[in-house]
Amino acid sequence: MQAKQRKTIVFVESAAAMGGVQFSTLYLVQTLDPERWRCVVVCPEDGDLVKACREAGIETQVVPQARLWSTSVRIGALRLPNPFAWAGDFWLLAKAAARLRRFLKQLTPDLIITKGLPSHFLGGYAARKLRRPCVWHVQDLISERTFGIYRRALGWAARVLPTRIIVDGKSIADQLPNSLQSRTTVIHNGVDTNVFSPTVDGTSARREFGIAAHELVIGHAARVTPWKGQHYLIEAFASVAKRNPDVTLLLVGAPVFDNDSYQRRLFATVAELGLEGRVKFAGYRQDLPALLAAMDVFAFTSIEKDTSPLALLSAMSAGLPIVAFDIDGARELMASADQFLLIPVKNVAALSVALSRVVEDPSLRQALGEAARRQALSEFSLERYRNRIEHVFTETLAAATADRSTAVPEVRAAASDLHV
């Protein structure tokens, strides 16, 4: 029996810095069967994702993309569309799409996967021109600013560019037009439950930050940006720290895609509240399993749009008790109400009470941590994630093959008619 031909999949990324989208790409390409799939990751510039892929033996290429202008302008408290930026960005995207199409034509991919908003347009257009199937992997909620113009623009493009759409949260699927639901699949992210495990030793990480063995650590890991809500956590921790002198707050993450103005605001807040020494800033780290192992409680404080967040899934897999703001992205990951302590979004007082309750109750910490770990093992393992993604890839390729095979008789018939 003839072996199945190895398929070439090209992942078109919109950034090379390591955020959640990029980590999900890295996790996936590392776990796909290399005898079945030839994976090529295309980034717009050199960066941590390029380095990580190459270190993992994943084929990686850099194809520059234009830096787009902001499509809105702030006037007082309002943000209004900037038509000049829209026109300029359209021209820049057209040039970048032509460059990407020329590159992809050389690779002759069987399937193109786009990651990140610019890449959905660039990669989708290139795939359409090359007549290759394309899967949009959408991992960010679309802004509803300016009367939903961004969502409408994406919805229009989604009708004509991708063959299939994968979203990592139901809230993203709900933003897409009803006509696209049959082509849209919700697949939450996955993590390596052996790497992120309660058995990992966090002693060295605690020692690095001067955290004594008897102290309890409330932890948080995310990009440092306002919608991740670190300032709410610091304000809530101030009350926890007064009640519990042996509790430390450990914040892991860096601005990554943003400037450092918000991070400087966090530093200032810590100083104003007199929490120097009680709040540790770890910055960007590549040893997240060890840092999670150093924590006793995980606080998830995103205030909007976070869908299937990898940091939260990693904390669940590590068996940490979770206190979380009640956004759709957190609630979607729960199988039952006893897995997280959910807090009204932006409610600092409620967050402080919940954190104090978990810190002061060992049995509650254990119950929440065990429930989180069970859910991670059941639903969010990397193997389960890979299998779900592969199923969509296989269906998309099979449909494309069927479309080509049914088109052949029509072409032959047309050619025959020409000779009559």
Side-chain angles (χ1 to χ4, degrees):
M1 184 176 178
Q2 187 177 4
K4 290 184 179 179
Q5 184 180 2
R6 188 173 180 235
K7 301 295 184 182
T8 296
I9 309 178
V10 178
F11 295 82
V12 182
E13 275 283 356
S14 59
M18 293 301 288
V21 172
Q22 291 71 35
F23 271 110
S24 73
T25 300
L26 179 63
Y27 292 166
L28 179 60
V29 296
Q30 284 180 311
T31 192
L32 287 171
D33 184 357
E35 293 187 0
R36 184 180 180 190
W37 311 103
R38 175 199 173 197
C39 294
V40 182
V41 177
V42 176
C43 292
E45 60 190 357
D46 277 314
D48 290 332
L49 179 58
V50 174
K51 180 182 177 183
C53 285
R54 288 176 177 167
E55 288 177 350
I58 304 300
E59 189 176 346
T60 311
Q61 300 288 340
V62 174
V63 178
Q65 291 181 13
R67 291 190 177 275
L68 303 181
W69 301 333
S70 176
T71 54
S72 62
V73 61
R74 184 179 291 279
I75 301 177
L78 297 176
R79 291 188 71 92
L80 300 175
N82 182 348
F84 299 103
W86 280 79
D89 284 348
F90 184 82
W91 179 76
L92 291 171
L93 284 169
K95 287 186 65 177
R99 184 187 305 119
L100 179 62
R101 178 173 57 84
R102 290 193 297 269
F103 173 78
L104 292 176
K105 187 176 181 180
Q106 298 172 1
L107 283 179
T108 61
D110 296 287
L111 183 62
I112 296 169
I113 315 299
T114 63
K115 309 267 288 186
L117 190 57
S119 291
H120 297 326
F121 290 94
L122 295 174
Y125 175 79
R128 187 174 179 85
K129 284 293 185 180
L130 294 171
R131 298 185 179 180
R132 300 289 177 179
C134 174
V135 175
W136 277 12
H137 194 173
V138 185
Q139 296 173 272
D140 287 298
L141 276 169
I142 304 103
S143 173
E144 294 287 353
R145 290 199 308 260
T146 59
F147 312 105
I149 189 172
Y150 302 102
R151 174 175 52 78
R152 289 187 177 90
L154 189 75
W156 172 83
R159 289 186 177 96
V160 297
L161 296 181
T163 312
R164 291 283 296 270
I165 302 171
I166 296 173
V167 298
D168 69 359
K170 184 178 181 299
S171 52
I172 300 177
D174 290 343
Q175 287 191 311
L176 296 172
N178 289 333
S179 60
L180 296 177
Q181 297 305 314
S182 63
R183 288 195 279 139
T184 301
T185 305
V186 178
I187 301 178
H188 296 112
N189 286 317
V191 295
D192 191 327
T193 54
N194 295 315
V195 171
F196 295 99
S197 166
T199 62
V200 177
D201 186 2
T203 303
S204 61
R206 293 173 71 99
R207 187 183 304 118
E208 177 185 349
F209 292 101
I211 302 171
H214 69 278
E215 292 184 66
L216 288 177
V217 177
I218 298 171
H220 178 276
R223 174 157 57 102
V224 177
T225 192
W227 62 269
K228 291 290 189 178
Q230 287 96 339
H231 58 289
Y232 296 106
L233 177 55
I234 291 171
E235 291 169 14
F237 178 71
S239 297
V240 178
K242 287 179 182 178
R243 290 169 52 99
N244 301 275
D246 292 329
V247 177
T248 294
L249 176 61
L250 178 60
L251 299 175
V252 182
V256 186
F257 302 108
D258 305 313
N259 60 43
D260 65 350
S261 61
Y262 179 63
Q263 183 169 257
R264 285 188 276 108
R265 173 186 165 188
L266 298 182
F267 294 158
T269 301
V270 168
E272 289 167 8
L273 295 173
L275 295 173
E276 299 98 328
R278 301 291 300 274
V279 179
K280 315 285 186 179
F281 289 91
Y284 175 75
R285 302 284 294 232
Q286 295 184 325
D287 57 344
L288 185 58
L291 290 169
L292 290 175
M295 301 174 187
D296 299 286
V297 181
F298 189 85
F300 177 76
T301 55
S302 292
I303 61 175
E304 61 178 0
K305 80 178 186 175
D306 229 349
T307 51
S308 192
L310 280 172
L312 179 55
L313 291 173
S314 300
M316 292 170 62
S317 183
L320 288 173
I322 309 293
V323 177
F325 278 155
D326 189 3
I327 65 171
D328 289 341
R331 186 174 286 277
E332 272 190 56
L333 304 183
M334 300 173 64
S336 59
D338 66 347
Q339 288 177 337
F340 301 164
L341 285 187
L342 292 178
I343 307 303
V345 178
K346 301 182 183 181
N347 191 324
V348 172
L351 178 60
S352 176
V353 169
L355 289 172
S356 294
R357 180 184 168 199
V358 177
V359 162
E360 296 166 9
D361 188 341
S363 61
L364 178 60
R365 288 201 304 276
Q366 181 177 351
L368 288 172
E370 289 175 352
R373 173 68 176 175
R374 283 196 303 271
Q375 178 68 347
L377 290 172
S378 171
E379 293 296 325
F380 305 119
S381 70
L382 198 53
E383 294 77 16
R384 195 174 182 88
Y385 175 64
R386 177 201 63 211
N387 291 341
R388 289 167 171 167
I389 293 277
E390 275 191 324
H391 182 70
V392 174
F393 290 176
T394 302
E395 281 191 338
T396 305
L397 287 168
T401 301
D403 288 344
R404 285 194 295 269
S405 64
T406 55
V408 169
E410 297 173 5
V411 171
R412 287 175 179 165
S416 177
D417 289 342
L418 291 175
H419 292 289
V420 173

